[in-house]
Amino acid sequence: MTVPPRNTGFFTEPLADRDADVFAAITGELGRQRDEIEL
């Protein structure tokens, strides 16, 4: 009995390619935290 190879694309693909909306949200939040003053 042979085991078929697992698809590891989910963990090896860049997030920008896998889910562009999530990538944009994370990138925007990172920029907000770096560039804006929170009072």
Side-chain angles (χ1 to χ4, degrees):
M1 182 165 125
T2 59
V3 178
R6 289 184 172 181
N7 182 3
T8 59
F10 184 83
F11 296 106
T12 58
E13 287 181 53
L15 182 58
D17 295 340
R18 187 73 181 173
D19 194 329
D21 292 336
V22 171
F23 179 75
I26 291 172
T27 303
E29 177 61 15
L30 181 60
R32 185 192 72 78
Q33 289 181 14
R34 283 184 179 165
D35 301 329
E36 295 180 21
I37 297 174
E38 194 168 313
L39 301 174

